[in-house]
Amino acid sequence: MIFHKMGLKEKIRREINRLSITLMKIEAAKRIHEERRSKPFSELTLVTALAHIPLFPEHLETIYLNSAMGDLKKTLRFLKELNKTISSKLEYSYILIKRKDIEEAISILSSIFSAKKISYMDLIDKVNSIKNLITEIYAMIRERERA
């Protein structure tokens, strides 16, 4: 299990941070995509070309998007492991009420990876919903620790 070395609470907090960064990457890719449509030539391309490393907006958009998708794959693995952990360890039984939501989040992430095309807004909405779910679980753990 991935929760042995680090507590579940800490692992969830890190996952929330990862999803926040993932959302920023998706937003950056979205802005580059929109800017590319409005301006055919990018200042970034000129600046990077002067440094002998021309970087076109579509390349940068792809870099941000691929990085975000890599983060989402890690989140998918985390959610699967979380699902196993809460169902097998008695100490996390109070989180079982969120099991259906966790399974739905796993399904949402799987659908993102299997989709041929997804809009930036749909992707942002889905990632936000998963982040909110994980934040709720984190709040449950914190509340349990305080009691």
Side-chain angles (χ1 to χ4, degrees):
M1 301 256 172
I2 61 172
F3 304 118
H4 287 297
K5 295 178 185 170
M6 184 185 310
L8 179 62
K9 180 180 156 188
E10 178 65 21
K11 195 70 178 167
I12 290 174
R13 188 187 62 75
R14 285 188 178 192
E15 200 59 41
I16 293 168
N17 289 340
R18 180 192 334 246
L19 286 172
S20 295
I21 293 168
T22 301
L23 283 166
M24 287 185 248
K25 291 174 184 177
I26 296 168
E27 282 288 341
K30 178 182 166 225
R31 271 197 217 114
I32 291 168
H33 181 77
E34 290 169 353
E35 185 178 299
R36 187 170 49 130
R37 294 172 76 194
S38 64
K39 288 192 234 176
F41 185 75
S42 168
E43 296 164 7
L44 176 68
T45 305
L46 178 62
V47 171
T48 57
L50 291 173
H52 303 291
I53 311 168
L55 186 61
F56 296 98
E58 54 269 10
H59 296 136
L60 196 55
E61 177 186 358
T62 302
I63 290 169
Y64 278 120
L65 201 52
N66 286 344
S67 178
M69 295 306 276
D71 289 346
L72 291 177
K73 284 181 183 176
K74 291 175 187 174
T75 298
L76 179 60
R77 280 195 305 266
F78 168 79
L79 287 172
K80 287 178 179 177
E81 192 65 36
L82 177 65
N83 203 17
K84 282 184 200 173
T85 301
I86 64 171
S87 59
S88 65
K89 289 194 173 188
L90 191 57
E91 64 189 275
Y92 300 125
S93 61
Y94 62 96
I95 304 174
L96 279 174
I97 60 172
K98 290 290 184 184
R99 187 165 189 200
K100 185 177 178 185
D101 294 332
I102 293 170
E103 289 171 354
E104 184 180 329
I106 290 170
S107 173
I108 289 170
L109 280 172
S110 297
S111 72
I112 288 171
F113 294 119
S114 64
K116 295 200 185 289
K117 195 170 189 178
I118 186 168
S119 73
Y120 282 111
M121 289 312 297
D122 285 345
L123 186 58
I124 289 168
D125 289 342
K126 289 178 179 185
V127 173
N128 263 325
S129 68
I130 293 167
K131 181 183 170 200
N132 291 338
L133 166 71
I134 295 173
T135 303
E136 287 174 20
I137 294 170
Y138 182 74
M140 288 175 72
I141 293 171
R142 287 188 62 200
E143 192 63 34
R144 179 77 173 212
E145 285 179 350
R146 288 183 186 156

